[in-house]
Amino acid sequence: MYDTFRKFREISEGLPYVWRFLGDIWEISPGHFILWVFIQLWYSVQAAITLWCTAFILQTMQNIIMSGNPDVFEVRKAFVAKFALGVADWLMEIISKFNAQAIERRCRDHCGTQLFEAYTGLDLVTLQRKDVQTKLNYMSGTFLGDQIWQQFGDLFRQITSLAEIVSQGYFLFNFFRSQDNGTVLASVCILPQIFKALLYTDAFGAGAWFAFARNQAYVRARSVGDTARNKNYFEEIVGSGLYRYLQTEYHKAQIQLKGSLCHNVYQAVWQSNNHLKSFIDMGLQDVSLMYYLAVVAVDPSSFSLTSLTVMRETAQSFMWTIWGLFNQETSLNEKLRFVRDYYGLLEMKNEVADGLIPYPPKECLELQGMKIEFRNVSMKYPKSKKYALRNVSFTIPVGATVILVGENGSGKTTTVSLLSRLFDATSGEIFVDDRPISEYQVQTLREAQAILRQSYQHFPFSIKENIGIGDPSWKETEADPVLSKKVEDRIMQAAKLGGAIDVIEDIRGKDGK
């Protein structure tokens, strides 16, 4: 009883986020959103309209057979209704296809970019929180927004399917109960639908599958996205202020990806044609008609063609609705949680509060370095009972060269981490250029520092980019050949000073570049 109450409470808590998502889609593309709502309304009544049209045609045929005198007006109405319905179905299918592609692409770009920017803007303390890690793991694979629209579409279909099942089930129950041979009719009409559903339970079939990407923009976007969410890079990205660079590169890849629609291999396989399944599917559609033919041959007055069609079409729709609802990989609550976690990440606040003053301030622009002062600073890491630093005080004047020496665990790395505000001190004060360090904007403070960490990470980019990424603005010079050449010379000089030039030349020789 408690679990049931909890699930309903989670649903009620998740519904406001669904409305919020609808509002976001409206802001992204109002025209496509209105068209999407109209298409959903059409598909919700399409089956009923089709059923009415088929019943009308069959009733007209039955009246002609019974009377022996065709009613030309009724025949024309039947032809016009069937033709109009076919044209409407065809047009709606085309419109739905192109509208779905447009709204999915815009939703993917908008939501994926928002999620990426929110994630890469989190500080190290926040990233290491257990609740944040849970959300990130749950949202895994969505940095291009691939699953956002898909998850919402599945959620919307699950909600509407519940009402459809109740209404269709009530109709079928009463219809079969009113028939003399209702049990047999129900078996003939429903069992083929179950077999059809089983045909599509596994789009991949047996065996091993793998997928690879040839679109370089997609590969680049995935590379940047994977780098941003890899725990091994957290400290390097946050401490060196690389999130702006990663966001810029992600935006570039997104622009190049415009028009690339399918990023999901499962969706691509599902959309591929399978002629054998289609043939079996078509054959199963006629099982109930064959049964009707046999019954008519024995007793032509047993039941009407119209009644059989209504029963057959409704049973088919009913079974597919049930199969679609219960064949979902995740429950309604999990989909609501997905949407809720998405907005939770967008609204996540950093543990390290940002300052208001950009570094360096105007009065310190001419200084050649930082003045650093620790006053009785103590530092204890989250979930740790021991102090990494305790009552530390020192002053480093502008332009001084200082070497911190100490055994492992003495607090050298902690001191540097406090200067780049990866963490805030547990107690005491840190001053930079005679101002509390907390008053400076974190990003500008980190951009003014060059830190080579003990656990250096090799990013999944080119060697040139791994070196140049220390100054993320270097990419902005690519459009200017003169500046680009100067920056490349600086990168090569850095490679020489770091002892990497021989490795680079060796790789160049092997690649022929």
Side-chain angles (χ1 to χ4, degrees):
M1 185 67 181
Y2 173 76
D3 289 340
T4 303
F5 174 77
R6 179 179 56 82
K7 289 180 180 179
F8 277 104
R9 186 183 63 184
E10 289 181 353
I11 291 175
S12 64
E13 292 174 350
L15 288 179
Y17 292 96
V18 176
W19 287 110
R20 180 177 174 180
F21 185 81
L22 288 172
D24 287 347
I25 298 301
W26 167 264
E27 292 181 2
I28 294 171
S29 182
H32 288 101
F33 178 76
I34 293 174
L35 188 56
W36 177 78
V37 172
F38 174 75
I39 291 171
Q40 301 311 307
L41 292 175
W42 163 258
Y43 283 135
S44 67
V45 299
Q46 181 190 28
I49 295 175
T50 302
L51 184 61
W52 171 84
C53 183
T54 303
F56 178 73
I57 293 174
L58 292 176
Q59 186 64 50
T60 302
M61 294 171 60
Q62 186 167 307
N63 292 339
I64 293 174
I65 294 173
M66 298 296 293
S67 65
N69 184 23
D71 187 332
V72 178
F73 179 72
E74 291 297 317
V75 172
R76 288 177 179 175
K77 282 175 57 178
F79 272 109
V80 170
K82 187 61 176 177
F83 178 78
L85 180 61
V87 172
D89 284 344
W90 177 69
L91 289 175
M92 290 303 298
E93 182 179 355
I94 295 176
I95 295 172
S96 175
K97 177 182 177 181
F98 286 99
N99 186 70
Q101 291 175 349
I103 198 170
E104 179 183 351
R105 181 168 60 247
R106 297 190 182 194
C107 173
R108 181 191 67 212
D109 294 345
H110 175 79
C111 297
T113 300
Q114 276 195 330
L115 184 61
F116 186 84
E117 290 182 353
Y119 175 78
T120 53
L122 295 178
D123 59 47
L124 189 61
V125 180
T126 307
L127 283 170
Q128 292 176 342
R129 278 170 36 189
K130 186 175 181 180
D131 62 319
V132 176
Q133 283 296 311
T134 300
K135 287 184 173 62
L136 291 175
N137 291 334
Y138 192 59
M139 302 292 292
S140 178
T142 63
F143 280 92
L144 292 175
D146 295 341
Q147 298 181 24
I148 301 294
W149 181 257
Q150 179 183 348
Q151 288 283 344
F152 177 76
D154 292 343
L155 172 64
F156 189 84
R157 282 188 289 272
Q158 274 192 299
I159 295 174
T160 55
S161 293
L162 294 173
E164 292 179 20
I165 288 174
V166 172
S167 60
Q168 292 181 13
Y170 179 77
F171 174 83
L172 280 174
F173 175 76
N174 286 282
F175 182 85
F176 287 129
R177 190 175 62 174
S178 65
Q179 301 296 316
D180 293 335
N181 53 350
T183 304
V184 178
L185 287 175
S187 301
V188 170
C189 292
I190 293 178
L191 287 178
Q193 309 309 322
I194 295 177
F195 293 142
K196 288 169 62 178
L198 294 175
L199 287 175
Y200 299 99
T201 53
D202 185 5
F204 282 83
W209 292 78
F210 72 93
F212 65 94
R214 290 179 291 187
N215 187 305
Q216 293 302 312
Y218 174 82
V219 173
R220 177 62 173 176
R222 280 299 183 187
S223 176
V224 174
D226 291 343
T227 299
R229 65 181 178 179
N230 192 319
K231 296 179 182 179
N232 296 327
Y233 302 140
F234 283 174
E235 184 174 346
E236 191 82 23
I237 292 172
V238 176
S240 302
L242 297 179
Y243 77 91
R244 287 184 179 176
Y245 173 77
L246 294 177
Q247 289 176 359
T248 300
E249 293 304 300
Y250 183 82
H251 284 304
K252 290 179 182 178
Q254 284 287 80
I255 293 173
Q256 296 175 20
L257 273 172
K258 294 292 186 181
S260 181
L261 299 176
C262 185
H263 290 172
N264 190 313
V265 63
Y266 296 95
Q267 181 181 356
V269 173
W270 179 265
Q271 293 175 349
S272 63
N273 293 326
N274 191 316
H275 303 295
L276 178 60
K277 289 183 178 181
S278 298
F279 177 77
I280 298 175
D281 189 2
M282 294 177 61
L284 290 173
Q285 293 178 7
D286 298 326
V287 172
S288 56
L289 285 178
M290 295 301 100
Y291 174 76
Y292 172 72
L293 176 61
V295 170
V296 170
V298 176
D299 183 9
S301 63
S302 56
F303 58 90
S304 69
L305 179 63
T306 304
S307 297
L308 172 68
T309 303
V310 172
M311 174 198 62
R312 179 170 171 259
E313 295 295 331
T314 306
Q316 182 180 16
S317 175
F318 180 68
M319 289 306 302
W320 273 110
T321 303
I322 294 179
W323 177 80
L325 180 64
F326 290 99
N327 199 50
Q328 298 288 334
E329 293 182 359
T330 54
S331 67
L332 177 64
N333 295 69
E334 289 175 323
K335 286 183 170 62
L336 287 170
R337 193 179 304 120
F338 182 93
V339 178
R340 188 168 63 247
D341 285 349
Y342 165 70
Y343 284 108
L345 283 174
L346 296 187
E347 298 169 351
M348 189 69 63
K349 302 297 183 182
N350 279 323
E351 295 285 330
V352 177
D354 201 3
L356 300 177
I357 302 174
Y359 187 86
K362 293 181 180 179
E363 64 270 19
C364 299
L365 289 175
E366 302 300 325
L367 296 179
Q368 299 298 314
M370 290 181 176
K371 178 184 177 183
I372 299 170
E373 182 179 1
F374 276 47
R375 296 182 185 175
N376 297 318
V377 172
S378 296
M379 173 63 193
K380 184 165 58 176
Y381 286 100
K383 299 181 181 181
S384 175
K385 297 180 179 179
K386 297 179 60 177
Y387 280 92
L389 292 177
R390 195 175 185 91
N391 297 327
V392 174
S393 298
F394 63 83
T395 300
I396 301 177
V398 175
T401 300
V402 177
I403 300 175
L404 297 179
V405 180
E407 61 185 12
N408 289 338
S410 61
K412 302 185 297 298
T413 302
T414 301
T415 301
V416 176
S417 297
L418 289 173
L419 285 175
S420 58
R421 292 201 70 195
L422 287 181
F423 304 94
D424 278 336
T426 306
S427 63
E429 293 181 290
I430 301 175
F431 289 83
V432 174
D433 293 340
D434 297 321
R435 289 180 183 270
I437 193 172
S438 59
E439 294 184 4
Y440 293 113
Q441 294 176 357
V442 174
Q443 178 63 20
T444 59
L445 185 67
R446 290 169 179 167
E447 287 176 349
Q449 303 175 11
I451 301 175
L452 180 59
R453 301 185 182 278
Q454 191 173 8
S455 56
Y456 170 75
Q457 299 295 335
H458 179 203
F459 294 102
F461 307 141
S462 66
I463 297 177
K464 175 182 177 181
E465 193 167 358
N466 267 271
I467 298 174
I469 203 172
D471 179 11
S473 62
W474 74 277
K475 273 278 189 175
E476 300 173 3
T477 65
E478 289 183 329
D480 189 325
V482 177
L483 291 178
S484 180
K485 180 65 169 59
K486 290 182 179 180
V487 170
E488 188 162 340
D489 290 341
R490 288 175 56 201
I491 292 175
M492 292 302 296
Q493 181 65 20
K496 291 178 181 178
L497 294 174
I501 191 65
D502 292 337
V503 177
I504 295 174
E505 294 298 338
D506 184 52
I507 294 176
R508 275 184 173 179
K510 292 180 179 179
D511 291 346
K513 296 182 181 180

